[in-house]
Amino acid sequence: MGADIKALRIRIKSVDSTLHLTKAMGLVASSKIRRANDAMKKGREYAAALDAFISELSGSTECLKSPYMQMRGDELSRTRIIVIAGDRGLAGGYNANIFRLASNYKGAEFIPIGKRACEKFGKAINSSEKYTSEEAYVLAKKLCADFADGEYDRLGIISTKYVSMMTQDAEIKWILPLARNAEVSASSIVFEPDEISVLNEVMPEYTAGVIMSALRESFASEVAARRMAMDSAGKNATAMIDSLQLRYNRARQGAITQEITEIVAGAGE
């Protein structure tokens, strides 16, 4: 009986320590939510402006000659996919959902961003939270140059879309080749020197913008997922402590009752 009481006491202390940890991590996530959401909104606005601009250009028949609009084979062996995951775990299914989606493209060449993604695909470690626009532009410039040279056929990006605090969805977006916007027939914008030159020039900037927007949205999703995961873990830990405390009280009461019974029995002798 004494051993059971001691084991329960140790277990309660262990779960209580975990509860303090989950509360601390939840508070850290909460402190980052507003900043992450603000950055995500700005990233969405910038990406929307870039999409509108590229849509105007892609509607031009002249731009069909651009290497960035050339449809080639779609074999996975000639597909590159940027995979954005988190730097840490304990965020529910955030990282697992990304890797599950990536597993559908086994023959692709993966370009990971984020410590967990780099560990998964055995690449040099980088941080998704601290990834800079300069790094994104360097990556985008190389990817665009390789695509124009025919080094690969498709470029996609796997990231997480923020729906709400409760829901974040892993998704893939195809960046290259550009799809022509059939709804745009003739643009009212005058491009100098011509549409195709402008398109070829801005493609690295556009690709970098898509990457940064996906990074900002993924980070907001990660923070939200971690906050919800820590809240859930905290509730479970509290319930577990209550259950263990009840068992501890019963065991202690049983031990006291047994001691009293033995004392009374001894006194009767």
Side-chain angles (χ1 to χ4, degrees), residues 43 58 65 105 146 151-152 160 204-205 250 257 269:
S58 65
K65 302 174 185 177
Y105 305 91
D146 287 350
E151 295 293 324
Y152 65 99
T160 305
E205 185 71 34
R250 286 175 177 172
T257 301
E269 294 175 0

Side-chain angles (χ1 to χ4, degrees), residues 9-68:
R9 189 187 299 121
I10 293 172
R11 180 64 173 157
I12 290 171
K13 185 176 181 181
S14 174
V15 176
D16 187 60
S17 297
T18 302
L19 177 60
H20 282 82
L21 176 62
T22 59
K23 285 183 177 179
M25 292 187 69
L27 288 172
V28 171
S30 296
S31 68
K32 293 181 178 181
I33 285 176
R34 183 171 182 178
R35 178 172 58 86
N37 284 348
D38 288 343
M40 176 187 69
K41 290 175 182 177
K42 291 177 181 178
R44 282 181 174 179
E45 291 173 359
Y46 183 61
L50 286 174
D51 283 338
F53 182 68
I54 293 297
S55 180
E56 288 281 344
L57 284 169
S58 65
S60 167
T61 55
E62 183 68 20
C63 287
L64 292 176
K65 302 174 185 177
S66 170
Y68 300 114

Side-chain angles (χ1 to χ4, degrees), residues 79-85 98 102 108-113 117 121 131 136 139-140 143 152 154-159 171-175 207-208 210-211 214-215:
T79 295
R80 293 183 185 179
I81 300 177
I82 301 168
V83 180
I84 299 175
I98 287 291
E109 177 186 346
F110 294 111
I111 303 167
I113 299 178
F121 298 109
Y131 205 81
L139 174 61
L143 289 171
Y152 65 99
R154 285 198 306 173
L155 174 64
I157 182 167
I158 291 178
S159 60
E171 64 177 11
I172 184 166
K173 177 179 180 178
W174 296 106
I175 304 174
T207 305
V210 172
I211 293 171
L215 276 164

Side-chain angles (χ1 to χ4, degrees), residues 71-88:
M71 302 295 293
R72 298 192 285 262
D74 59 356
E75 298 175 3
L76 286 179
S77 60
R78 286 179 56 82
T79 295
R80 293 183 185 179
I81 300 177
I82 301 168
V83 180
I84 299 175
D87 292 338
R88 293 172 291 278

Side-chain angles (χ1 to χ4, degrees), residues 64-177:
L64 292 176
K65 302 174 185 177
S66 170
Y68 300 114
M69 296 191 70
Q70 302 305 309
M71 302 295 293
R72 298 192 285 262
D74 59 356
E75 298 175 3
L76 286 179
S77 60
R78 286 179 56 82
T79 295
R80 293 183 185 179
I81 300 177
I82 301 168
V83 180
I84 299 175
D87 292 338
R88 293 172 291 278
L90 298 177
Y94 172 76
N95 291 316
N97 292 337
I98 287 291
F99 299 144
R100 189 178 300 112
L101 179 57
S103 68
N104 295 329
Y105 305 91
K106 296 184 183 298
E109 177 186 346
F110 294 111
I111 303 167
I113 299 178
K115 294 178 181 178
R116 287 290 185 267
C118 293
E119 292 169 357
K120 173 72 174 178
F121 298 109
K123 303 289 186 178
I125 300 296
N126 56 47
S127 169
S128 58
E129 183 177 352
K130 298 178 180 178
Y131 205 81
T132 65
S133 56
E134 289 79 10
E135 290 176 295
Y137 183 75
V138 170
L139 174 61
K141 191 173 182 180
K142 182 180 187 310
L143 289 171
C144 287
D146 287 350
F147 184 84
D149 291 340
E151 295 293 324
Y152 65 99
D153 297 330
R154 285 198 306 173
L155 174 64
I157 182 167
I158 291 178
S159 60
T160 305
K161 180 181 180 181
Y162 181 95
V163 180
S164 68
M165 279 291 295
M166 300 289 292
T167 307
Q168 304 84 36
D169 297 330
E171 64 177 11
I172 184 166
K173 177 179 180 178
W174 296 106
I175 304 174
L176 293 172

